[in-house]
Amino acid sequence: RQFHQKYSRAVGSIYIDKKFVDDPIAIVDALLRRFPEGVIRGFAGLHLRGFKLLDEGWVPDLSITQNSSTVATVIGKPIRRKAPEVYFVKDRRTVSVQQAIKDVLVKMEFEQQIALLDFLVRQNPRLYAILEESREFKGTLEWVSHFAESRPESILRVRIRQAGILGFEPQVGVSVGGHMRFVDLGNAELQVGLEYLGAVHFDNAEKRAQDSDRQNELRAVGWVLIEVTWRDLKEHARWLD
């Protein structure tokens, strides 16, 4: 009983300490003990390279050969696929960063794909050039910006562009009294901005006060600001009118 209180089964007869069940690398290391020729893919492959992902409850994937024996897996997900091109990162076998991102994006809707790519490119701006080397990202990268500061802002940008409203860019800088103030998503020519209000704006009085001061300064120099909440984004049908 004490053993099962402290350890969780990962695959077959291999167990890991429960304090590591949310660590993707600990999970794939356990899977690699059972499948030593396995290749780390997807979320775990990105995590291995130091990237953070959005909070989706990602399951670490491990690519194994098609003739590997079937073993019950409790944590993580072995995938039987043709052997991918292998790279070594921190002494572990993994796929290219492009392939790891493809593994993740295939499970997501387009606006969520852009939100994730914005997030990844913001962590490492050089990633954009790396992805440009792959033709499969060509159309998608036209929508990506490392200036977006949150997933809702990314989704908002995608929604208005899909609606045919162009000219809005993330984090547009405006000079106000010798200081720079930034609009979440703005059209500098029209002086119209969209501001996303997340939970932090309602739970943190100081943050809300700072945003109010910034918005009032922007309005004073002629900007029209429209506030958008998560409910606005959640009700997708409203964007189809």
Side-chain angles (χ1 to χ4, degrees), residues 52 152 189 201:
K52 296 179 181 179
E189 182 177 352
H201 296 83

Side-chain angles (χ1 to χ4, degrees), residues 159 229-239:
R159 293 270 181 92
T229 65
W230 179 247
R231 186 184 69 175
D232 296 320
L233 295 180
K234 185 177 180 181
E235 297 177 7
H236 203 293
R238 299 177 62 179
W239 297 81

Side-chain angles (χ1 to χ4, degrees), residues 201-232:
H201 296 83
F202 300 99
D203 297 339
N204 188 319
E206 180 61 25
K207 171 64 175 173
R208 183 56 176 154
Q210 292 174 356
D211 268 0
S212 293
D213 290 342
R214 176 180 57 84
Q215 291 175 351
N216 287 335
E217 290 176 338
L218 289 165
R219 290 188 176 103
V221 294
W223 276 75
V224 175
L225 300 178
I226 301 170
E227 294 183 341
V228 180
T229 65
W230 179 247
R231 186 184 69 175
D232 296 320

Side-chain angles (χ1 to χ4, degrees), residues 71-121:
V71 178
T73 302
V74 179
I75 305 174
K77 183 180 178 182
I79 304 172
R80 284 183 170 80
R81 290 185 183 167
K82 181 180 178 182
E85 186 175 0
V86 174
Y87 297 78
F88 283 86
V89 177
K90 299 179 181 178
D91 297 324
R92 296 176 177 89
R93 293 157 53 88
T94 187
V95 293
S96 67
V97 66
Q98 296 100 320
Q99 182 60 59
I101 291 174
K102 290 181 208 175
D103 292 341
V104 172
L105 294 187
V106 73
K107 306 172 185 177
M108 307 176 75
E109 295 182 357
F110 181 71
E111 61 186 30
Q112 297 291 349
Q113 291 180 352
I114 301 306
L116 177 58
L117 286 170
D118 283 353
F119 186 52
L120 294 175
V121 171

Side-chain angles (χ1 to χ4, degrees), residues 65-220:
T65 59
Q66 295 182 346
N67 60 358
S68 296
S69 59
T70 300
V71 178
T73 302
V74 179
I75 305 174
K77 183 180 178 182
I79 304 172
R80 284 183 170 80
R81 290 185 183 167
K82 181 180 178 182
E85 186 175 0
V86 174
Y87 297 78
F88 283 86
V89 177
K90 299 179 181 178
D91 297 324
R92 296 176 177 89
R93 293 157 53 88
T94 187
V95 293
S96 67
V97 66
Q98 296 100 320
Q99 182 60 59
I101 291 174
K102 290 181 208 175
D103 292 341
V104 172
L105 294 187
V106 73
K107 306 172 185 177
M108 307 176 75
E109 295 182 357
F110 181 71
E111 61 186 30
Q112 297 291 349
Q113 291 180 352
I114 301 306
L116 177 58
L117 286 170
D118 283 353
F119 186 52
L120 294 175
V121 171
R122 187 161 69 250
Q123 294 173 59
N124 182 0
R126 292 178 297 175
L127 178 62
Y128 192 98
I130 293 172
L131 296 180
E132 281 186 310
E133 297 173 2
S134 175
R135 289 178 296 177
E136 296 176 65
F137 289 101
K138 184 176 180 181
T140 306
L141 286 176
E142 296 175 359
W143 295 71
V144 174
S145 172
H146 69 272
F147 291 109
E149 292 192 339
S150 70
R151 169 162 50 184
E153 290 178 22
S154 297
I155 293 174
L156 178 59
R157 190 178 80 252
V158 172
R159 293 270 181 92
I160 64 172
R161 181 171 169 180
Q162 288 178 326
I165 304 172
L166 305 179
F168 282 80
E169 300 294 337
Q171 298 303 314
V172 172
V174 181
S175 179
V176 179
H179 301 281
M180 291 299 294
R181 298 291 181 260
F182 292 89
V183 181
D184 287 348
L185 197 63
N187 185 312
E189 182 177 352
L190 299 177
Q191 288 191 299
V192 175
L194 302 177
E195 293 276 294
Y196 177 73
L197 293 184
V200 67
H201 296 83
F202 300 99
D203 297 339
N204 188 319
E206 180 61 25
K207 171 64 175 173
R208 183 56 176 154
Q210 292 174 356
D211 268 0
S212 293
D213 290 342
R214 176 180 57 84
Q215 291 175 351
N216 287 335
E217 290 176 338
L218 289 165
R219 290 188 176 103

